[in-house]
């Protein structure tokens, strides 16, 4: 093929000998200006840019119903401490703060790893997060352990989680039902959760999101997600022209921005092009995170499979089910890291 579109930048790195340097199509300085160093470095080898993102996702979101918050007098938390205080207030009022079903078949655990990743990134920042992905910072490091402790606080504090005993037994999309029925008032999940809300017959206009608040305000712009990358195998003129267009701020403005949920990663993309306010709000968070150098890929997707989509998912599930405590879970995950 002339072009490759992949959700895994590591795949492009493996294909490096076959790929064209995108820096020959678009000036590398321009690519780094438009997408940030982090997203370009993920798909670069020895100074050669193998790929650049054309779509991103956002996971650092908390879903809620504004009318429910307004009726009860709740305000949007700006820090993690305020999020904890809000959760405590809800419990005191006889409400249940969180919907948190995490069952996902053989992938059960990823909703929990998202919590841990957001907590670590927004506490310690991108440098520690990146070192953790590479295992230069181990899971048993006190900074990582503290992220697990905060996650457990949010699932095991009395009254915090609706139907707590079935967290690992019921599908993650089914969080839309108790959230829609106000049996719980918040749910942490990615932007694609919108399809669950509409899929279960609720009106998406009744829902909104706020950014998962940072633990340390120094990292207030931190955001977790993923992305889809463009790469080229041939240097023909028409391939070069199409790649240039897809990596420009014009790409998406006439169609993709109206799809709902499609987030363009180019920080120069005109936010007014988005067809709905909810998607525009997601894009604002992404652009702010990329501009601040605080946007990061889901760590479990970047780690070796035996760890990221293996021991990490399993460990979270065992922690939620009460089979193992945090120290044992962390030791197990570190032990699964390839030598």
């Amino acid at each position: 093929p002339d072009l490759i579109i992949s959700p895994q930048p590591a795949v492009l790195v493996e294909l490096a000998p076959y790929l064209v340097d995108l820096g020959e199509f678009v000036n590398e300085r321009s690519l780094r200006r438009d997408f940030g160093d982090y997203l370009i470095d993920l798909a670069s080898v020895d100074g050669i840019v193998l790929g650049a993102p054309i779509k991103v996702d956002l996971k650092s979101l908390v879903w809620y119903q504004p009318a429910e918050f307004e009726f009860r007098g709740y305000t949007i938390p700006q820090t993690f401490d305020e999020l904890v205080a809000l959760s405590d207030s809800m419990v005191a009022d006889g409400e249940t703060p969180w919907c948190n079903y995490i069952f996902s078949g053989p992938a059960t655990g990823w909703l929990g790893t998202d919590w841990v990743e957001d907590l670590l990134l927004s506490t310690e920042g991108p440098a520690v997060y990146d070192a953790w992905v590479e295992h230069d910072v181990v899971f048993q490091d006190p900074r990582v352990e503290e992220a697990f402790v905060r996650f457990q606080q949010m699932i095991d504090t009395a009254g915090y989680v609706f139907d707590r005993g079935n967290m690992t037994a019921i599908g993650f999309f089914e969080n839309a039902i108790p959230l829609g029925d106000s049996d719980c008032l918040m749910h942490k999940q990615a932007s694609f959760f919108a399809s669950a809300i509409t899929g279960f017959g609720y009106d998406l206009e009744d829902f909104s999101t706020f950014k998962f608040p940072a633990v340390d305000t120094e990292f207030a712009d931190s955001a977790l997600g993923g992305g889809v990358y463009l790469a080229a195998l041939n240097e023909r003129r028409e391939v070069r022209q199409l790649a240039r267009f897809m990596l420009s701020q014009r790409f998406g403005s006439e169609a993709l921005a109206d799809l709902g949920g499609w987030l363009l990663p180019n920080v120069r993309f005109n936010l007014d092009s988005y067809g709905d306010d909810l998607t525009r709000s997601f894009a604002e968070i992404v652009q702010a995170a990329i501009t601040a150098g605080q946007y990061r890929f889901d760590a479990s997707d970047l780690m070796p499979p035996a760890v990221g989509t293996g021991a990490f998912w399993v460990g979270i599930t065992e922690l939620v089910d009460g089979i193992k405590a945090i120290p044992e879970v962390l030791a197990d995950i570190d032990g699964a890291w390839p030598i």
Side-chain angles (χ1 to χ4, degrees):
D2 292 317
L3 297 172
I4 294 174
I5 295 176
S6 172
Q8 296 176 314
V11 169
L12 303 183
V13 173
E14 292 177 2
L15 295 174
Y18 307 99
L19 299 180
V20 175
D21 183 357
L22 288 186
E24 299 293 326
F25 290 3
V26 181
N27 182 281
E28 183 177 343
R29 186 181 304 174
S30 298
L31 289 173
R32 292 183 178 277
R33 174 199 63 198
D34 291 348
F35 301 106
D37 288 336
Y38 174 77
L39 289 174
I40 297 301
D41 287 341
L42 276 182
S44 297
V45 174
D46 297 330
I48 297 175
V49 180
L50 304 170
I54 57 170
K55 178 182 183 291
V56 288
D57 302 306
L58 179 62
K59 289 191 168 188
S60 303
L61 294 171
V62 177
W63 291 82
Y64 74 107
Q65 292 195 65
E68 295 293 334
F69 269 47
E70 184 177 354
F71 176 73
R72 293 171 172 81
Y74 299 139
T75 57
I76 303 302
Q78 301 302 310
T79 66
F80 180 74
D81 285 345
E82 291 181 8
L83 182 66
V84 173
L86 174 61
S87 301
D88 289 338
S89 295
M90 290 176 173
V91 172
D93 292 342
E95 306 292 343
T96 302
W98 294 99
C99 315
N100 218 347
Y101 295 131
I102 70 168
F103 179 74
S104 186
T108 299
W110 67 263
L111 265 79
T113 64
D114 283 1
W115 274 87
V116 170
E117 290 159 1
D118 255 321
L119 288 165
L120 181 64
L121 177 61
S122 71
T123 305
E124 303 296 338
V128 171
Y129 185 91
D130 293 345
W132 175 54
V133 168
E134 297 297 326
H135 208 219
D136 294 329
V137 170
V138 300
F139 273 79
Q140 293 172 90
D141 185 289
R143 294 168 291 185
V144 180
E145 182 175 11
E146 184 61 26
F148 274 79
V149 169
R150 287 192 169 104
F151 167 64
Q152 188 166 38
Q153 173 190 4
M154 300 307 289
I155 63 170
D156 281 339
T157 298
Y160 266 30
V161 176
F162 174 77
D163 196 16
R164 172 64 180 85
N166 284 313
M167 262 187 71
T168 60
I170 296 178
F172 67 93
F173 260 9
E174 293 190 43
N175 286 292
I177 298 173
L179 185 66
D181 293 344
S182 301
D183 291 326
C184 41
L185 300 181
M186 296 181 287
H187 175 57
K188 183 183 183 305
Q189 199 175 137
S191 51
F192 55 70
F193 185 63
S195 62
I197 291 172
T198 56
F200 282 103
Y202 298 99
D203 189 342
L204 189 59
E205 292 185 358
D206 292 337
F207 297 79
S208 188
T209 65
F210 59 85
K211 183 184 174 297
F212 186 75
V215 178
D216 187 332
T217 55
E218 180 182 354
F219 307 115
D221 288 321
S222 64
L224 187 70
V228 175
Y229 274 70
L230 176 75
L233 290 113
N234 296 307
E235 296 188 79
R236 298 196 318 278
R237 179 173 176 269
E238 61 270 29
V239 177
R240 182 182 300 110
Q241 288 180 328
L242 180 57
R244 282 177 175 170
F245 168 69
M246 294 180 74
L247 297 175
S248 77
Q249 74 272 24
R250 295 178 296 123
F251 178 62
S253 60
E254 298 299 328
L256 297 178
D258 287 329
L259 290 179
W262 188 295
L263 305 179
L264 282 303
N266 191 315
V267 297
R268 293 194 297 147
F269 184 78
N270 184 358
L271 294 173
D272 291 336
S273 297
Y274 286 102
D276 65 274
D277 292 338
L278 188 62
T279 303
R280 187 178 302 110
S281 71
F282 299 160
E284 288 172 350
I285 293 171
V286 168
Q287 283 199 6
I290 292 174
T291 300
Q294 295 181 8
Y295 182 84
R296 287 298 183 267
F297 256 54
D298 183 306
S300 61
D301 288 340
L302 295 176
M303 293 173 178
V307 179
T309 57
F312 196 0
W313 285 355
V314 170
I316 284 289
T317 304
E318 291 176 334
L319 179 64
V320 171
D321 283 341
I323 296 172
K324 292 181 179 178
I326 290 174
E328 189 177 1
V329 167
L330 299 180
D332 287 348
I333 300 172
D334 277 333
W337 205 279
I339 298 175

